[in-house]
Amino acid sequence: MNNAISGFSKLSKEDKINWIANQYFANPSEAEETIKQYWNNNTQLQQLHDEFIENTITNFYLPMGIAPNFLINGNYYSVPMVIEESSVVAAAAKSAKYWSTRGGFKAKVINSEKIGQVHFIYIGETAKLESFFNKTKATFLSATESITKNMQKRGGGILDIELRNKTNELENYFQLHATFETKDSMGANFINSCLEQFAKTLKEEAQNYPDFSEEEKNIRVVMSILSNYVPNCIVRAEVSCKIEELAENKIETPQEFAEKFVQAVNIAEIEPFRAVTHNKGIMNGVDAVVLATGNDFRAVEAGVHAYASRNGKYSSLSHAKIENGIFTFWMEIPLALGTVGGLTSLHPLVKMALQILKNPSAHELMQIVAVTGLAQNFAALRSLTTTGIQEGHMKMHLNNILNQFQATKDERVAIAKHFEKNTVSHASVVELIENLRK
Ligand code: MEV
């Protein structure tokens, strides 16, 4: 069957669903029913969600959970998390509780500078371009005044613009490399608007610059766009306590635990195959809060992983040490987040999530997100270096399998009893359900 279509976006929502159902499903009416099952009865709310993107046919649910008891810089937070992976929220909550009795998490924003670039081609004498840039730098700033006025009132704006010569790497390639402070907004629209104005100014001013030859006047802007690599938008999260305070059920010998934990982090520092998984565990926490608060998780992911390879080799984002009987576990990560603008005031659940977090500033949200990532990393390493990860995972997984099979209350009791003594695996759960149902 030819599944191509022209003018899909112009079809009504009903016709789009109809087309999809008929193209891809043997039973189109059943498919339509599934799609519509996830519509919200509140038509206004549904319309709001429909309009977030194009060609919307339905809503895609992800669970939103709460990890309570996060003690951060002396204040308690209940952290909303949106994630599909079972055991992530439970692990965050466990870690939060554990550290709440050991001094809590300390977090600090080190810097919150954002970056944007105008990439352009200039064919001519570099010295002339440099002197042109120095003479017109003030014009770049004055030409963006109408864009920056409100941001400046909030204490943000353009921090600096530099001319960068990249011709060693690519012929005739230069950049305007600009830095920004965007306060409580993530700032993507603000930065991109400034950059597009810089590009316009660059072309206009070059055309009128008397020292340029005709070829030099003809600057070609390739593109103007913010960078999601934000190595100067950094937050630090940390926990520490005396080694003996690490003791609890799972950790009988704190010294051994601390040493093994530090070893696990050391391995992630030098071994990229482990570092990627180690950092993925951190991102379980980071992404879940980033999503719940309506932030751009793709931007965060791209920036964080680039940062993890900033020294030329992909490495652990977190670090751990034992010094003078004190165990310290910390990380510094780049996070470009906003608590105003974007989805933050549009999506009712994002608004709620922010309210649960006591309507944080962007800096406070950076701290909360980094702490959740560190807590998740702690939980993963604690399991990996003690009982192994499968114990907790399979318990949650068991529940998912039982839901999938719509297990009755009695079946659940019988199955839970069986797996008190036996190892959970997908096949063994299925076999047991099937036996019970014979
Ligand atoms: C699973 O989502 C995350 C872990 O693999 C992280 C890690 O290995 O550190 C458990």
Side-chain angles (χ1 to χ4, degrees), residues 85 88 274 277-278 280-282 284 377 380-381 384 389 393:
E85 186 176 331
V88 166
R274 174 56 202 151
T277 318
H278 177 98
K280 188 274 184 184
I282 293 172
N284 277 345
N377 193 206
L381 293 183
L384 287 169
I389 204 76
H393 259 216

Side-chain angles (χ1 to χ4, degrees), residues 49-104:
H49 284 74
D50 285 353
E51 289 173 7
F52 285 154
I53 61 165
E54 305 80 24
N55 296 347
T56 311
I57 55 169
T58 191
N59 307 306
F60 186 93
Y61 287 3
L62 279 179
M64 181 176 193
I66 298 285
N69 301 316
F70 267 99
L71 181 59
I72 307 175
N73 296 338
N75 295 310
Y76 273 102
Y77 291 89
S78 300
V79 176
M81 301 175 81
V82 170
I83 189 155
E84 88 299 344
E85 186 176 331
S86 57
S87 83
V88 166
V89 177
K94 253 194 215 161
S95 243
K97 188 108 186 259
Y98 178 90
W99 283 105
S100 70
T101 58
R102 291 164 177 82

Side-chain angles (χ1 to χ4, degrees), residues 298-438:
R298 287 87 57 213
V300 167
E301 281 280 342
V304 166
H305 295 296
Y307 189 75
S309 4
R310 69 195 177 285
N311 297 322
K313 183 176 168 187
Y314 192 91
S315 177
S316 168
L317 292 160
S318 63
H319 309 281
K321 66 177 180 188
I322 302 169
E323 236 170 51
N324 305 321
I326 306 280
F327 168 82
T328 309
F329 178 47
W330 76 98
M331 73 171 180
E332 286 177 7
I333 56 165
L335 285 176
L337 301 178
T339 54
V340 299
L343 268 198
T344 56
S345 51
L346 282 178
H347 196 302
L349 284 176
V350 167
K351 261 201 225 169
M352 276 195 84
L354 288 168
Q355 198 167 338
I356 295 168
L357 292 174
K358 309 183 220 187
N359 290 321
S361 64
H363 277 203
E364 284 161 344
L365 184 60
M366 285 168 77
Q367 295 174 12
I368 294 163
V369 171
V371 160
T372 313
L374 189 74
Q376 207 68 52
N377 193 206
F378 180 78
L381 293 183
R382 183 169 66 151
S383 293
L384 287 169
T385 57
T386 55
T387 56
I389 204 76
Q390 284 310 87
E391 189 188 89
H393 259 216
M394 290 318 287
K395 246 187 232 159
M396 298 295 288
H397 192 48
L398 172 63
N399 201 34
N400 283 345
I401 304 170
L402 295 180
N403 287 340
Q404 191 188 332
F405 279 85
Q406 297 179 334
T408 63
K409 218 169 156 191
D410 288 348
E411 284 171 340
R412 281 169 194 268
V413 172
I415 290 166
K417 201 158 181 335
H418 174 86
F419 285 112
E420 271 171 19
K421 292 205 188 80
N422 296 289
T423 310
V424 179
S425 74
H426 190 274
S428 61
V429 179
V430 173
E431 194 186 320
L432 190 58
I433 295 178
E434 281 170 357
N435 280 341
L436 284 171
R437 288 181 179 176
K438 262 183 196 157

